[in-house]
Amino acid sequence: MTDKDSTVRPDRRAELAAGLARVRTRIADACAAAGRDRDTVTMIAVTKTYPVDDVLALAGLGVHDLGENRDQEAAGKAAEVAAAGVRPRWHFVGQLQRNKCRSVVRYADVVHSVDRVRLVGALATASAAARDRPLDVLLQVSIDADPDRGGAVPDSADPDTGLGPVAEAVAAAPALRLTGLMAVAPLGWAPERAFSRLAEVAAAFRADHPEATALSAGMSGDLEIAIAHGATQVRVGSALLGMRPTLR
Ligand SMILES: *Cc1c(COP(=O)(O)O)cnc(C)c1O
């Protein structure tokens, strides 16, 4: 236990431990139902809006993968966590702006949200300048093919937002490593429909990029359905930490 860790109230620590146990059981049950090994699915704890004390408590409970969606919040938290002597794997899961790339590559181990060719150049340049090994990248896919809502569009030849062009740009950048796809079920879509469509996109994608086997899909409300459709990483916030005060 670190000094920081000991500042977590015991009742909060117990609450987080209970949430973690519930989520781990859900993941194990979903894997069993899908006939998959439990160790094919990684849980990422999405800690946005929650304090560093919660992050350290989760790390103390054995959570190694942590996610954040805003650079400003994430950069500060990652620095505090590192200062406490804890070395998690940080996943940046939020929308990424070109002017944030230089900051994000300093603490993130994985970026889940690359969805435009124009972003790839900035991320590759920043990664090459600040890191001694490539940055793992997942491409965010638009399941409903609405480019206004973010996500690269499958079966589109658009030179900026088509999934093929974005993948080729990442694959051609030595400072980036293409590891797979990420998606969020679109509003108004049943998760079953969204994740079965995503599974089709992922299968076609792997034919061209066989090394890119990661599939980041599923959150607190729909992780079982995502696992049934092949998710290898689930991003879980509220089911672990409680409801966030503000929606974002
Ligand atoms: C907040 C967030 C999550 C976690 O959502 P919950 O519903 O709280 O589990 C997952 N993915 C992304 C991209 C997020 O921004």
Side-chain angles (χ1 to χ4, degrees), residues 44 46 48 68-69 93-95 140 182-184 218-221 234-240 242 244 248:
I44 300 166
V46 181
K48 64 187 182 196
E68 286 282 335
N69 74 333
V93 302
Q95 207 186 17
Q140 184 170 352
M182 176 272 218
V184 179
M219 318 199 296
S220 291
V234 293
R235 308 178 309 269
V236 185
S238 51
L240 279 176
R244 288 178 292 275
R248 45 184 223 176

Side-chain angles (χ1 to χ4, degrees), residues 23 26-27 184-185 189-192 195 217-227 234-240 243-244:
V23 171
R26 286 177 60 189
I27 294 171
V184 179
W189 280 51
E192 177 66 38
F195 295 139
M219 318 199 296
S220 291
D222 55 18
L223 66 87
E224 286 86 356
I225 301 167
I227 289 170
V234 293
R235 308 178 309 269
V236 185
S238 51
L240 279 176
M243 293 306 286
R244 288 178 292 275

Side-chain angles (χ1 to χ4, degrees), residues 87-140:
R87 297 265 179 277
R89 187 168 159 82
W90 284 106
H91 299 253
F92 189 84
V93 302
Q95 207 186 17
L96 183 57
Q97 313 291 333
R98 273 189 291 177
N99 63 3
K100 302 290 187 194
C101 289
R102 280 175 56 195
S103 172
V104 168
V105 298
R106 289 198 198 104
Y107 59 82
D109 300 288
V110 190
V111 171
H112 287 233
S113 43
V114 173
D115 63 356
R116 282 161 294 148
V117 169
R118 276 182 300 169
L119 189 58
V120 174
L123 198 61
T125 303
S127 177
R131 302 171 56 87
D132 53 15
R133 64 200 154 83
L135 176 73
D136 283 355
V137 164
L138 288 84
L139 308 185
Q140 184 170 352

